[in-house]
Amino acid sequence: MDRNVPVEGAEHPDHRVEFHLGPGDIQAVRFGVSPGHELAHAVRVLLRPAQHPLQWGWLRSVRERLPREPFALLARVIGDDGYMPDFVTADPRWDMTPDDELESLRSADLDAMRVDLGKMIVRSTGARQRMLREMRDDPRRARADIAVAWSAVWDAALAPVWPQLDRLLRADIAVRARVMASAGIAGMAGGLHPNVSWGEGAVRVRLRRHSERVDCHGSGLVLVPSVMSSWGCMVITEPPAQPTLFYPARGVTAGWARAEAEIGSALGALLGPARAGILLSAGTARTTSQVAADAGIAVSTASHHLTVLREAGLVASERDGARMLHQRTPLGEALVGAVL
């Protein structure tokens, strides 16, 4: 066997997945959020903590409250590395919520589940393999059991830090979208991760064990930032799911899971409490009146603080009809990300 040729399933530096995009696909490149992906990789972090130092702050807070049996079930389904069953992650969307993800899991296609579980069976041994076989033989019951476990582990592990995690994901998307608007898909894709590149109409992703050429066939490509899988990239390529690339979100530090009050205090020491609060809540566009109401200050005071933040390059203000909308700039996103 030629060791210079990548072999499916075996690690090799030349494994690539290429997402080939036609003109229509390029227009359909979009961003999404995936609570299911975050939970699945949270399980893998808990199984192999030594490999995920950026998650140690979160790990310290979650271990004691983790429900043992639900976690054990998810751990056997998801595994600690390699292939992950597609049914644990719904098609990512910009407006995807944890509740949406759970409902999608509860109604997952049973035939597709059988296929995914079959792939896991051939990749496992012993007690795990026996459990997966039982699940494949009764997928309806397996689906219900996995959904119950998903809910329990989510409530214990990620629900307490979802506001911080969600803010990092959406901050990343805001920055990438603005780069794509100014530098095109080539400029944006090249900055996603060292393993991602753009050339000849394709987004190329270097993986460890898998190579594939994916013709996006007018479906476009979904780009999904991740906090929990901060080590590298993953892909979904098999229909009916849309072609999807998961990549590490920017701005993830060991302190990302700090409480809201701690984040506000850190920013407050730099900007002052009022401006820190305005910047922290400026991930979505809001009017001056909304900013004032949320901060509990007069409109004129809010306008003054927004002017200071705008002149510092941390907030951008754009007119929408009779309204003026204010939102964090890439520099503002970077500042908030650094504090996280």
Side-chain angles (χ1 to χ4, degrees):
M1 180 181 296
D2 186 350
R3 294 184 179 180
N4 293 322
V5 178
V7 176
E8 187 66 19
E11 292 199 23
H12 193 284
D14 291 335
H15 273 303
R16 299 279 193 284
V17 168
E18 297 185 355
F19 293 100
H20 286 263
L21 304 168
D25 298 315
I26 292 175
Q27 295 175 4
V29 171
R30 63 182 179 83
F31 292 90
V33 171
S34 177
H37 183 84
E38 296 305 306
L39 183 62
H41 281 277
V43 169
R44 291 189 165 182
V45 169
L46 286 157
L47 290 171
R48 304 176 76 175
Q51 297 187 8
H52 305 279
L54 290 181
Q55 311 301 344
W56 287 351
W58 167 77
L59 279 165
R60 283 193 293 270
S61 68
V62 75
R63 277 177 165 165
E64 293 184 359
R65 61 174 183 259
L66 202 65
R68 181 172 299 178
E69 291 186 8
F71 176 76
L73 188 151
L74 285 190
R76 286 189 169 180
V77 171
I78 293 167
D80 63 0
D81 192 24
Y83 173 78
M84 183 184 298
D86 291 346
F87 69 82
V88 301
T89 301
D91 284 341
R93 305 192 313 266
W94 169 256
D95 58 350
M96 177 70 75
T97 67
D99 288 341
D100 293 335
E101 190 84 65
L102 182 56
E103 284 306 307
S104 178
L105 177 58
R106 286 171 174 157
S107 60
D109 182 82
L110 296 179
D111 290 335
M113 279 190 64
R114 287 191 187 95
V115 172
D116 285 352
L117 290 168
K119 293 177 182 179
M120 299 299 294
I121 288 168
V122 300
R123 291 169 167 83
S124 59
T125 58
R128 183 188 182 205
Q129 188 179 67
R130 290 193 294 274
M131 188 199 78
L132 292 171
R133 288 186 187 278
E134 291 173 0
M135 288 184 163
R136 187 181 61 179
D137 292 342
D138 190 355
R140 190 176 300 276
R141 178 178 177 180
R143 182 176 64 183
D145 290 346
I146 293 169
V148 170
W150 194 102
S151 180
V153 175
W154 176 272
D155 287 345
L158 288 192
V161 296
W162 181 244
Q164 297 96 304
L165 198 154
D166 187 53
R167 185 183 299 116
L168 277 168
L169 298 177
R170 297 185 186 281
D172 178 276
I173 291 171
V175 172
R176 308 290 185 186
R178 289 168 189 169
V179 171
M180 188 161 65
S182 61
I185 187 172
M188 182 276 299
L192 289 177
H193 188 267
N195 289 342
V196 180
S197 61
W198 166 266
E200 299 178 357
V203 175
R204 295 183 171 89
V205 188
R206 188 165 63 243
L207 298 179
R208 289 184 296 162
R209 301 188 181 102
H210 178 59
S211 291
E212 186 177 357
R213 185 187 191 281
V214 182
D215 188 340
C216 292
H217 292 299
S219 63
L221 177 64
V222 186
L223 303 173
V224 186
S226 176
V227 171
M228 284 295 171
S229 59
S230 56
W231 53 267
C233 299
M234 292 188 67
V235 300
I236 294 178
T237 62
E238 295 187 11
Q242 282 193 283
T244 303
L245 166 58
F246 299 93
Y247 63 90
R250 61 189 297 160
V252 179
T253 68
W256 73 263
R258 285 189 296 172
E260 189 88 4
E262 290 184 64
I263 299 169
S265 295
L267 281 175
L270 177 66
L271 302 173
R275 289 170 193 161
I278 291 172
L279 183 64
L280 196 56
S281 59
T284 57
R286 297 176 301 158
T287 66
T288 307
S289 296
Q290 289 171 328
V291 170
D294 291 344
I297 57 180
V299 172
S300 58
T301 305
S303 180
H304 170 69
H305 288 315
L306 286 165
T307 298
V308 173
L309 292 170
R310 184 169 56 250
E311 290 178 349
L314 301 176
V315 167
S317 302
E318 296 183 2
R319 185 164 296 282
D320 179 27
R323 306 183 306 166
M324 186 68 77
L325 298 178
H326 313 280
Q327 189 170 8
R328 283 196 300 260
T329 63
L331 179 60
E333 302 289 5
L335 178 59
V336 171
V339 173
L340 287 169

